[in-house]
Amino acid sequence: MQIVRTVQELREWTRADRYETNTIGIVPTMGALHAGHASLIRAAREECGCVVVSIFVNPTQFGPNEDFARYPRSFEADCELAKAAGASLIFAPSVEELYPDGAATFVEVEGLSNRLDGKSRPGHFRGVATVVAKLLIATEADLAFFGQKDAAQVAVLRRMVTDLRLPAKVVVCPIVREPDGLALSSRNAYLSEEERRRALVLSRAVRRVEALAASGERRASALIAAAHEVFAAKPAVRVDYVELVNWETLLPVETAAPGTLFAVAAFVGTTRLIDNTIVA
Ligand code: AMP
């Protein structure tokens, strides 16, 4: 497994590999890799001859009061995990490499970027779209793998890939959870033991909505109310949003249909966590 730091080196590798392996896949990450990331890398391995895993804590997707500086960083362990899961190449650029001095070009996916997480994190999806566009252009990837865990991000990136006519096909992989239901996240590392217990309320709310929808309840008002009821049992957890939306537009719907996105975000202490399900 190669480790490269510059776009030029990356292109040299992927261009050479393209002739040998046909399909280039990319798994964009911010490092602090866990089993959720590993599942994306394994999925990429199954479909691609060359799997690029990018590790880059992208400053432009963090707000001024967010956790950029203290975001967990564990490069050595990340390389081990990525290699074991089947990565061919790690792309770990510096901030200056992806944002050259004077960088002034950004990708704005209008409308979508202000919904769900974008509403509570202004500028977040602008940063995400910008960095992912840079990564897709640099790798000339055929397939790009993302987790359903960040479902609003998937909607933003699908729109971007379509609008920019990028050649990459977006592949979405299921949410990997702890045995007790908590969705794996690099930010789970911030939780104290007590907060870790409280954090289960997110997956409980998601499961409650899944069960209700499976039993035939399709009204958004009823599904959202049921989720709020679950959250009410843990008043120390501050709900950011509970929404039932069209997964393509991220606009609220009144009735759940197969493919509708039910998503929640909440603060457990100072840590903001998200979870979701796609209605069956
Ligand atoms: P991050 O490093 O948090 O930016 O995440 C990199 C990629 O891993 C994104 O596409 C995430 O959606 C995905 N991911 C993060 N957590 C999980 C999880 N628990 N299950 C599946 N994919 C995940």
Side-chain angles (χ1 to χ4, degrees):
M1 188 184 68
Q2 295 296 321
I3 299 176
V4 303
R5 302 276 180 186
T6 67
V7 171
Q8 192 186 330
E9 275 177 286
L10 174 66
R11 282 216 176 103
E12 280 163 17
W13 279 100
T14 52
R15 286 200 171 152
D17 269 7
R18 185 174 303 281
Y19 295 107
E20 286 167 28
T21 66
N22 253 325
T23 310
I24 310 284
I26 180 161
V27 181
T29 83
M30 297 206 298
L33 301 186
H34 50 62
H37 299 109
S39 75
L40 266 56
I41 300 169
R42 281 197 303 272
R45 180 80 273 168
E46 292 210 345
E47 295 194 49
C48 308
C50 171
V51 177
V52 178
V53 175
S54 63
I55 296 181
F56 180 66
V57 185
N58 174 36
T60 64
Q61 72 188 68
F62 288 80
N65 298 316
E66 293 185 350
D67 54 343
F68 174 69
R70 67 179 189 119
Y71 194 84
R73 287 161 172 88
S74 53
F75 188 67
E76 308 279 293
D78 289 350
C79 290
E80 290 299 312
L81 183 147
K83 189 175 172 194
S88 323
L89 193 151
I90 299 274
F91 177 49
S94 64
V95 172
E96 296 69 36
E97 178 64 16
L98 283 198
Y99 296 96
D101 195 22
T105 307
F106 289 86
V107 177
E108 179 81 44
V109 181
E110 291 183 1
L112 283 176
S113 287
N114 301 323
R115 296 172 196 149
L116 298 190
D117 308 281
K119 199 192 285 176
S120 12
R121 305 182 66 190
H124 171 66
F125 284 133
R126 180 182 193 245
V128 170
T130 300
V131 79
V132 173
K134 286 172 190 263
L135 293 168
L136 295 186
I137 292 167
T139 48
E140 299 171 354
D142 303 292
L143 297 176
F145 294 80
F146 300 95
Q148 183 199 311
K149 159 88 189 326
D150 296 85
Q153 168 173 288
V154 166
V156 169
L157 295 177
R158 277 185 172 143
R159 185 75 253 166
M160 177 190 81
V161 163
T162 302
D163 290 352
L164 296 181
R165 296 279 186 227
L166 293 174
K169 181 174 161 246
V170 171
V171 182
V172 182
C173 301
I175 302 178
V176 176
R177 299 177 178 282
E178 300 278 8
D180 62 6
L182 182 70
L184 294 188
S185 162
S186 305
R187 290 192 168 95
N188 291 349
Y190 298 148
L191 302 173
S192 69
E193 244 176 72
E194 177 57 38
E195 289 171 339
R196 170 71 183 70
R197 277 194 292 276
R198 283 184 196 144
L200 285 177
V201 71
L202 280 90
S203 54
R204 269 193 216 122
V206 165
R207 277 207 303 265
R208 175 100 181 91
V209 166
E210 272 173 355
L212 261 184
S215 74
E217 180 56 81
R218 297 275 140 174
R219 291 167 305 159
S221 55
L223 296 170
I224 290 170
H228 276 296
E229 238 173 66
V230 174
F231 276 108
K234 288 272 176 279
V237 173
R238 183 164 62 82
V239 174
D240 179 11
Y241 67 70
V242 173
E243 292 211 45
L244 189 73
V245 299
N246 174 307
W247 196 8
E248 198 182 320
T249 63
L250 301 181
L251 288 170
V253 296
E254 282 186 8
T255 311
T260 301
L261 168 66
F262 173 77
V264 300
F267 287 92
V268 181
T270 54
T271 306
R272 187 174 175 284
L273 299 177
I274 56 176
D275 203 342
N276 69 77
T277 187
I278 305 300
V279 175

